[in-house]
Amino acid sequence: MKSWKSQNNRTSYYSMNYKYAYLVQFQYLGFRLHGWQKQPNLKTVHFFVDKTLKFVCKGIRCKSVGVGRTDAKVSSTDYYFQLFIDEKLDESFFIEDFNRNSPSDIRVLAVEQLHDEEFNIIQHPKVKEYRYYFSFGEKNHPYCAPFLTGYLDELNVELMKEGAHLFEGFHNFKHYCTKPSPETRVERAIDVCKIEENTELSASFFPEKSYVLIIRGSGFLRNQIRLIMGALAELGKGNYDLEFIKKSLRPENSDIDFMKTIAPASGLHLHNVEFEKEV
């Protein structure tokens, strides 16, 4: 997996009185779930992770902390949680036992013991890559619903590709955040924003051609990627032009109040989480 660079001012698992800490890599299909974070009376990823841990680590005090929040119906092929526990794990047995007892839409891939007691999964610098899968022009097979969004309108994909690159770099994303507070840091950098033909995610019931929006950066605002995808879809439909996209990224000189379209959650996948490595 990874090797870790120590960071200052991190919460130590020793200070939390746990003897061991592990980084657990797993993946999940989010279509029936209400995101990562636990919520009263709702089925969430964290709820099922802890429910499985309670069975697998029966009688052993433990705690899990996720790498970040995801929205309801959003999936992830590369997600992590930090496991604090009072007994050392047999890592191979843990993976087998967890996967045997977890729901079929959650699967652990790898486990690594953390020897850096200062590592904090939330605060540690990381780069995330999200992918939003979509198609257009026809009603998709219903089985596509958990994986990609089907737009019934015709979309100008070449114009959308051009528009996607406008989001790259350092911008003010005030219009691409749901209900930002006065303290929200809306100026962010996006390293990569591009649209390509989808050649990775496939199934016999998928449309003949589909596409993927790939966005990579070190931090994203609430609903930022879905709002970007929504704006690009409106661009593809002809409701926006490139100048509107540029204007939306300059809110200090803009009369735009908010972006009206947010893309459905089920097309969004957290594709990769890359932690800063030791140098």
Side-chain angles (χ1 to χ4, degrees), residues 46-47 67 77 104 107 133 136 171 188 193 215 220 222 231:
H46 199 182
F47 168 80
V67 72
T77 56
S104 59
R107 178 175 71 155
Y133 295 90
F136 66 90
H171 300 288
R188 304 287 179 101
C193 188
I215 298 185
F220 295 97
R222 183 182 179 191

Side-chain angles (χ1 to χ4, degrees), residues 108-120:
V108 165
L109 301 174
V111 181
E112 177 187 359
Q113 185 176 352
L114 293 167
H115 298 287
D116 178 359
E117 64 183 76
E118 301 298 325
F119 178 81
N120 181 303

Side-chain angles (χ1 to χ4, degrees), residues 265-279:
S266 55
L268 182 59
H269 302 248
L270 175 55
H271 181 76
N272 179 251
V273 178
E274 185 176 305
F275 294 91
E276 181 177 321
K277 294 183 179 181
E278 193 173 29
V279 293

Side-chain angles (χ1 to χ4, degrees), residues 115-133:
H115 298 287
D116 178 359
E117 64 183 76
E118 301 298 325
F119 178 81
N120 181 303
I121 195 170
I122 296 175
Q123 298 176 359
H124 195 96
K126 62 187 76 70
V127 173
K128 294 181 179 180
E129 181 178 306
Y130 284 90
R131 297 193 172 190
Y132 195 99
Y133 295 90

Side-chain angles (χ1 to χ4, degrees), residues 77-224:
T77 56
D78 186 39
Y79 196 89
Y80 294 82
F81 68 85
Q82 190 170 358
L83 174 63
F84 303 98
I85 191 166
D86 278 343
E87 289 190 15
K88 192 169 184 177
L89 295 178
D90 178 326
E91 294 167 13
S92 296
F93 178 77
F94 174 84
I95 295 172
E96 180 182 350
D97 202 23
F98 190 99
N99 288 336
R100 186 182 299 274
N101 292 285
S102 63
S104 59
D105 45 8
I106 296 176
R107 178 175 71 155
V108 165
L109 301 174
V111 181
E112 177 187 359
Q113 185 176 352
L114 293 167
H115 298 287
D116 178 359
E117 64 183 76
E118 301 298 325
F119 178 81
N120 181 303
I121 195 170
I122 296 175
Q123 298 176 359
H124 195 96
K126 62 187 76 70
V127 173
K128 294 181 179 180
E129 181 178 306
Y130 284 90
R131 297 193 172 190
Y132 195 99
Y133 295 90
F134 68 97
S135 62
F136 66 90
E138 62 179 349
K139 180 81 169 183
N140 285 337
H141 191 294
Y143 288 6
C144 293
F147 309 108
L148 60 89
T149 294
Y151 291 97
L152 298 182
D153 304 87
E154 289 294 324
L155 299 179
N156 184 337
V157 175
E158 294 306 312
L159 184 62
M160 291 171 68
K161 289 179 180 180
E162 191 175 350
H165 288 299
L166 296 177
F167 291 96
E168 293 179 335
F170 189 79
H171 300 288
N172 187 317
F173 288 98
K174 176 183 176 182
H175 295 317
Y176 295 91
C177 176
T178 300
K179 296 180 180 179
S181 70
E183 294 76 31
T184 301
R185 184 173 59 84
V186 294
E187 293 184 335
R188 304 287 179 101
I190 289 180
D191 301 326
V192 174
C193 188
K194 61 182 179 179
I195 290 176
E196 298 178 346
E197 187 171 337
N198 168 36
T199 58
E200 180 177 16
L201 196 64
S202 63
S204 61
F205 49 82
F206 269 28
E208 183 176 344
K209 185 175 289 189
S210 58
Y211 298 87
V212 57
L213 169 67
I214 300 172
I215 298 185
R216 184 177 175 86
S218 58
F220 295 97
L221 299 162
R222 183 182 179 191
N223 290 331
Q224 182 179 355

Side-chain angles (χ1 to χ4, degrees), residues 28-31 70 73-77 146 265-266 268-271:
Y28 61 86
L29 179 65
F31 191 64
T70 52
K73 295 190 177 184
V74 173
S75 299
S76 180
T77 56
S266 55
L268 182 59
H269 302 248
L270 175 55
H271 181 76

Side-chain angles (χ1 to χ4, degrees), residues 35-89:
W36 163 259
Q37 188 176 12
K38 288 182 182 178
Q39 301 176 60
N41 303 316
L42 292 177
K43 295 178 179 180
T44 68
V45 183
H46 199 182
F47 168 80
F48 282 114
V49 164
D50 276 2
K51 186 176 181 179
T52 305
L53 287 173
K54 187 176 181 179
F55 184 84
V56 172
C57 306
K58 189 174 182 179
I60 306 171
R61 192 174 66 107
C62 63
K63 176 183 177 66
S64 63
V65 179
V67 72
R69 299 181 182 182
T70 52
D71 292 339
K73 295 190 177 184
V74 173
S75 299
S76 180
T77 56
D78 186 39
Y79 196 89
Y80 294 82
F81 68 85
Q82 190 170 358
L83 174 63
F84 303 98
I85 191 166
D86 278 343
E87 289 190 15
K88 192 169 184 177
L89 295 178

